[in-house]
Amino acid sequence: MASPQFLEFIDKHAPQFIQRLGEAVAIPSVSGDGTRRPDVFRMSAWLDGQLKNLGVTTKLVDLGKHVMDGQELPLPPAILGRIGDDPKKKTVLVYGHYDVQPANKSDGWDTEPFKLVVDEKTGRLIGRGSTDDKGPILGWLNVLEAHKALGIELPVNMRFCFEGMEENGSEGLDDLIKSEVAKGKDGWFDGVDCVCISDNYWLNSRTPCITYGLRGLVYFKLTVSGPARDLHSGVFGRMVHEPMTDLIQLMSKLVAPDGTILVPGVDDMVSAADDEERKIYEKLDYSVKDVEDAVGAPITLSDDKVTVIMGRMRQPSLSLHGIEGAFYGAGAKTVIPASVSGKFSIRIVPPQTPEKIEPLVVKYVEQEFAKLNSKNKLKIENLHDGRPWLADYKHWNYEAARRATEAIYKQSPDLTREGGSIPVTLTFAESLGVNVLLLPMGRGDDGAHSTNEKLDRSNFIEGSKLLGTYLYEVAAAKA
């Protein structure tokens, strides 16, 4: 259990912590916008300076260059840090990212996205990156500052890995982690006992959670092409094979209205949940109404809570995302597109892997295309993929997080699997061979990636206490 002095310090210094979050939000570190790349570097320098001031030994690692939108750009550095080398203590590795999603006021923001606005009525801290992921990173800084100011030794050794490309593919990070692990005792991750990542959210706005699983992803692009150029439907309609007609037929064969994946063998890979696992979902403080409120309409695939939750957390899903090359503007344009591309993805769960899924999709789509007897040409591409991750939630790392959550929030956390993907989670788990934990700070209604992204003041302050208390519970846990 963390000391009362630590908890009091966090409460007392909340205004300063919020001010520091404001400084971080003010740096528009958008990794997906080449014009903002200098700002991402500025953010790395700011964060590096903060860590150094709090006693952390750091290293900015050059990850090289990459090409984005036809322009060669330097990759933002990874920040590696360490504080504490006591062989009697456990060592915790913390990961986070200092880059953010794009944001413009014209997108529909009520306030300037890169100016932290403190809404005194609601307690919301509004600004891009407030919850994803600058708030959680600063939560760790708050923990470090409290211990330094109070002259209290940290209960564990800490290692840090912060990157600036998470929102744009995490380029270079996997190779860095593997190379550091390969260095053994000379690497920054030597002796790490567990990993903690705070880059996800509660299921709702009521109940804290700890997360032990993430779905993977395989993202496909189907391109059907035929004529050498766009055609006039009044001249060529019903004279030629139309690419759009073929593509719509193919897209309609991928997933049923009830969510069933129609690609043979995909759903069959996943076994049914046993009674112990079903009880986890039954206990979750999450309802069909929560889903309906989140999407703004009563459109869930089932009225059964467990079925709906498992659809997100432990079943694969196939979603159709869009069609490239088709007419979509206002008015009525009678065009036959020469080439169209349909984009869809499959969220995958263990034991599925991209290597198992891709051949099934390619074979099925090619078979369905052959049935059309079309003279058009089909091209199937895997744009990117990532494997799913699942951790042992009975591990002492999770027990420490559970006890810390109960100490701060006075309630047991929900035990969740996320429907999304954080690829670096699996890289840490496999490269280091240690347990990885997701311990969220923010709420389910924070609006990460959306307009008016926010982090509640209470979650920022209580979340900082949670991260610090977690370190004490890790120290006390029997490994």
Side-chain angles (χ1 to χ4, degrees):
M1 178 68 186
S3 68
Q5 299 103 296
F6 164 72
L7 302 177
E8 289 166 10
F9 185 95
I10 297 293
D11 279 329
K12 187 176 178 182
H13 292 81
Q16 292 96 307
F17 295 155
I18 292 170
Q19 183 180 351
R20 178 161 56 196
L21 179 59
E23 291 177 28
V25 167
I27 303 174
S29 50
V30 181
S31 56
D33 180 349
T35 65
R36 295 289 199 186
R37 190 53 55 90
D39 292 313
V40 187
F41 274 81
R42 188 155 60 95
M43 185 67 207
S44 70
W46 181 90
L47 181 55
D48 183 55
Q50 294 285 329
L51 289 164
K52 281 189 169 80
N53 289 340
L54 294 170
V56 179
T57 302
T58 65
K59 178 185 178 184
L60 292 177
V61 182
D62 183 354
L63 298 178
K65 297 182 178 182
H66 75 135
V67 176
M68 186 173 74
D69 298 329
Q71 181 183 12
E72 186 178 67
L73 296 168
L75 287 165
I79 304 174
L80 300 181
R82 67 157 62 96
I83 183 168
D85 284 295
D86 188 337
K88 299 188 196 70
K89 294 179 179 177
K90 293 191 185 77
T91 299
V92 178
L93 170 61
V94 168
Y95 163 86
H97 65 91
Y98 58 84
D99 64 319
V100 298
Q101 283 278 314
N104 294 292
K105 194 165 190 292
S106 59
D107 295 335
W109 283 73
D110 296 330
T111 58
E112 290 296 336
F114 294 106
K115 179 181 179 183
L116 189 73
V117 173
V118 181
D119 187 326
E120 298 293 349
K121 278 187 179 179
T122 63
R124 293 182 168 189
L125 311 175
I126 304 163
R128 175 58 89 220
S130 56
T131 193
D132 182 22
D133 185 39
K134 292 179 178 179
I137 285 181
L138 265 61
W140 292 113
L141 297 187
N142 299 344
V143 172
L144 293 173
E145 182 174 328
H147 283 79
K148 183 183 179 186
L150 293 168
I152 301 173
E153 205 175 279
L154 287 165
V156 297
N157 305 313
M158 295 191 72
R159 302 292 180 264
F160 301 91
C161 179
F162 296 136
E163 67 156 324
M165 282 292 286
E166 193 272 347
E167 301 290 8
N168 195 23
S170 292
E171 288 194 55
L173 187 66
D174 278 8
D175 291 339
L176 169 66
I177 293 168
K178 290 169 186 173
S179 68
E180 285 300 323
V181 171
K183 292 176 185 175
K185 292 190 176 181
D186 295 324
W188 284 75
F189 304 145
D190 179 55
V192 166
D193 294 296
C194 63
V195 179
C196 182
I197 298 174
S198 188
D199 187 23
N200 65 310
Y201 315 93
W202 299 359
L203 278 177
N204 50 43
S205 59
R206 305 179 297 271
T207 308
C209 71
I210 51 180
T211 301
Y212 69 99
L214 295 165
R215 291 197 290 190
L217 175 77
V218 195
Y219 199 113
F220 292 97
K221 178 180 179 180
L222 301 182
T223 301
V224 180
S225 55
R229 65 193 68 84
D230 287 355
L231 304 176
H232 188 312
S233 68
V235 177
F236 294 102
R238 205 161 180 173
M239 289 184 74
V240 299
H241 289 279
E242 298 187 16
M244 179 76 90
T245 304
D246 292 350
L247 181 66
I248 296 297
Q249 286 289 324
L250 293 177
M251 298 283 275
S252 73
K253 303 289 186 182
L254 296 171
V255 61
D258 66 357
T260 301
I261 297 175
L262 301 178
V263 180
V266 173
D267 276 345
D268 296 340
M269 287 185 195
V270 184
S271 61
D274 60 23
D275 289 342
E276 181 184 4
E277 187 180 1
R278 283 190 66 88
K279 284 175 184 172
I280 292 174
Y281 302 116
E282 288 168 1
K283 286 179 185 175
L284 294 182
D285 179 18
Y286 198 57
S287 65
V288 169
K289 186 178 185 305
D290 284 323
V291 181
E292 293 174 345
D293 289 345
V295 302
I299 56 173
T300 54
L301 293 177
S302 170
D303 293 327
D304 177 61
K305 164 186 160 176
V306 173
T307 300
V308 171
I309 291 174
M310 288 202 302
R312 165 176 163 176
M313 295 187 183
R314 66 104 57 205
Q315 299 289 351
S317 65
L318 191 155
S319 298
L320 309 179
H321 302 303
I323 295 177
E324 190 179 307
F327 169 63
Y328 64 90
K333 186 178 181 182
T334 56
V335 65
I336 297 172
S339 178
V340 283
S341 299
K343 295 179 179 179
F344 69 95
S345 69
I346 303 178
R347 296 281 178 175
I348 59 177
V349 298
Q352 296 170 327
T353 63
E355 294 77 17
K356 292 177 182 176
I357 294 296
E358 186 175 351
L360 296 178
V361 171
V362 171
K363 179 182 178 183
Y364 175 67
V365 171
E366 287 179 342
Q367 286 176 342
E368 291 300 312
F369 183 67
K371 292 177 185 177
L372 301 179
N373 293 315
S374 174
K375 294 178 182 177
N376 290 320
K377 289 183 170 57
L378 170 70
K379 181 181 179 183
I380 308 171
E381 298 172 82
N382 173 352
L383 296 187
H384 63 86
D385 58 45
R387 287 182 293 157
W389 161 78
L390 204 57
D392 174 13
Y393 59 84
K394 296 178 182 178
H395 189 274
W396 55 260
N397 193 23
Y398 279 78
E399 284 299 306
R402 180 183 59 78
R403 287 194 295 269
T405 304
E406 290 172 349
I408 298 302
Y409 286 105
K410 311 304 180 192
Q411 60 183 130
S412 294
D414 276 339
L415 189 59
T416 68
R417 290 166 64 169
E418 279 284 354
S421 307
I422 308 175
V424 73
T425 310
L426 188 67
T427 306
F428 279 129
E430 292 186 340
S431 300
L432 293 168
V434 299
N435 184 270
V436 180
L437 160 80
L438 296 187
L439 185 60
M441 174 181 278
R443 299 180 182 181
D445 63 353
D446 280 354
H449 292 210
S450 186
T451 54
N452 302 317
E453 177 184 344
K454 61 85 179 172
L455 176 65
D456 288 86
R457 183 189 187 280
S458 61
N459 283 67
F460 185 43
I461 301 309
E462 298 305 303
S464 297
K465 295 179 190 175
L466 171 65
L467 297 179
T469 303
Y470 158 75
L471 298 180
Y472 282 89
E473 294 296 345
V474 164
K478 292 180 180 179

